[in-house]
Amino acid sequence: MPISEYKLCVFGSGGVGKSCLTMQFVQGIFMPKYDPTIEDVYKKTVEIDEKQYSLEILDTAGTEEFSAMRDLYVKNGQGFVLVYSITSQATFNDLNEFYGRIMRIKDTELHGQPPLILVGNKSDLEDERVVGREVGQALARKWKSSFLETSAKDRANVNEIFFDLVRQINRSPNIASSRSQTKHTTHENASTSKARMLSNLPSKNQSDSQKHFRKPRSGKCIVL
Ligand SMILES: Nc1nc2c(ncn2[C@@H]2O[C@H](COP(=O)(O)OP(=O)(O)OP(=O)(O)O)[C@@H](O)[C@H]2O)c(=O)[nH]1
Ligand SMILES: [Mg+2]
């Protein structure tokens, strides 16, 4: 069965939970300790709507000093996750710049809007909420994007982010037909489930369908 390979990028300010959301999705773990990202790439094979996908997820740096590669990420990316924290108005406001940059680089006038999802993370911290759900919904309506509130800590709506993005890519004729690469695999899929992980192994025992590459400060990627 052919397997589609999609490249997804996760953007947003420092500390909003980009890495935690990605790690929850790929490895099923939550990291309480904050470790600012330079650049991490995760790979995961999933089954969505009875089809297999190899997802390459680029977890980017929220901190400005590490942001030089962002334009290249946008160029290569097929779907985008824009994350803010519901506990920080500044992180919500910051997304305008990320959005504007994606729209410019993707040349939306020519190619239409790329698949995009707006994510309000840390929904478990309701007591500290400063960005209302309806405010997030309104921005998503303006951007014509999907919207989810999530908690990486409680694993709430985490898979839904990536499944939604894959479905958007599939609906986007430019991308799904011309830019996704396919390769052949021997996996036979008899499942009727709509969307499920093909692997969810602990991080010490990563299979080929679940890899994590971390960019060290020297600039090369290594497999952990
Ligand atoms: N309560 C709560 N804390 C979270 C959640 N997601 C992330 N955090 C915490 O927020 C801090 C930052 O999370 P990260 O995932 O490292 O944030 P980031 O967006 O990747 O940050 P940069 O890599 O610097 O851009 C960490 O201490 C996490 O434990 C969440 O859903 N709920
Ligand atoms: Mg990070």
Side-chain angles (χ1 to χ4, degrees):
M1 185 192 278
I3 180 164
S4 300
E5 295 182 350
Y6 290 159
K7 287 187 191 336
L8 313 178
C9 298
V10 187
F11 288 119
S13 299
V16 295
K18 298 180 298 296
S19 300
C20 286
L21 287 168
T22 308
M23 285 168 90
Q24 264 293 18
F25 176 64
V26 174
Q27 298 172 347
I29 53 171
F30 175 69
M31 302 289 289
K33 195 169 160 279
Y34 182 26
D35 177 17
T37 306
I38 299 173
E39 174 189 310
D40 287 331
V41 180
Y42 296 81
K43 286 197 171 195
K44 187 164 184 75
T45 304
V46 294
E47 185 183 300
I48 302 172
D49 302 330
E50 300 174 13
K51 202 166 172 270
Q52 289 181 21
Y53 298 89
S54 169
L55 304 183
E56 188 177 296
I57 304 168
L58 186 69
D59 173 24
T60 64
T63 324
E64 197 56 38
E65 61 191 292
F66 298 136
S67 69
M69 296 294 286
R70 267 188 207 144
D71 290 3
L72 193 63
Y73 299 157
V74 174
K75 238 184 179 132
N76 293 332
Q78 290 157 295
F80 301 92
V81 185
L82 266 62
V83 187
Y84 66 94
S85 164
I86 67 155
T87 67
S88 163
Q89 184 67 45
T91 66
F92 182 77
N93 301 344
D94 288 347
L95 289 184
N96 261 317
E97 198 191 319
F98 287 99
Y99 178 80
R101 191 186 291 236
I102 292 169
M103 294 305 120
R104 268 196 310 280
I105 293 170
K106 283 303 196 190
D107 197 351
T108 47
E109 294 212 346
L110 196 64
H111 302 293
Q113 164 140 332
L116 190 102
I117 183 163
L118 175 65
V119 171
N121 189 41
K122 307 197 185 183
S123 63
D124 56 291
L125 298 178
E126 190 58 45
D127 291 351
E128 296 172 39
R129 178 192 283 274
V130 294
V131 184
R133 179 188 291 265
E134 63 295 339
V135 176
Q137 282 167 337
L139 183 60
R141 261 197 308 278
K142 183 175 149 199
W143 286 352
K144 297 187 177 63
S145 74
S146 305
F147 173 68
L148 280 174
E149 285 197 345
T150 62
S151 168
K153 188 175 178 200
D154 292 350
R155 209 173 208 283
N157 270 343
V158 175
N159 292 351
E160 284 76 0
I161 299 172
F162 299 95
F163 293 169
D164 180 275
L165 216 39
V166 166
R167 289 177 177 132
Q168 285 193 52
I169 295 171
N170 288 338
R171 286 197 300 268
S172 168
N174 283 344
I175 301 175
S177 61
S178 65
R179 296 184 57 194
S180 80
Q181 303 141 12
T182 58
K183 67 181 180 189
H184 289 273
T185 172
T186 53
H187 283 295
E188 283 300 325
N189 169 27
S191 167
T192 55
S193 68
K194 285 186 74 128
R196 70 178 171 91
M197 302 299 163
L198 288 177
S199 71
N200 202 11
L201 303 173
S203 55
K204 270 190 273 179
N205 186 22
Q206 289 170 338
S207 72
D208 195 42
S209 63
Q210 180 205 36
K211 284 182 179 165
H212 173 207
F213 305 84
R214 171 161 278 224
K215 187 170 192 176
R217 283 167 203 268
S218 66
K220 279 188 189 153
C221 283
I222 51 166
V223 182
L224 290 182

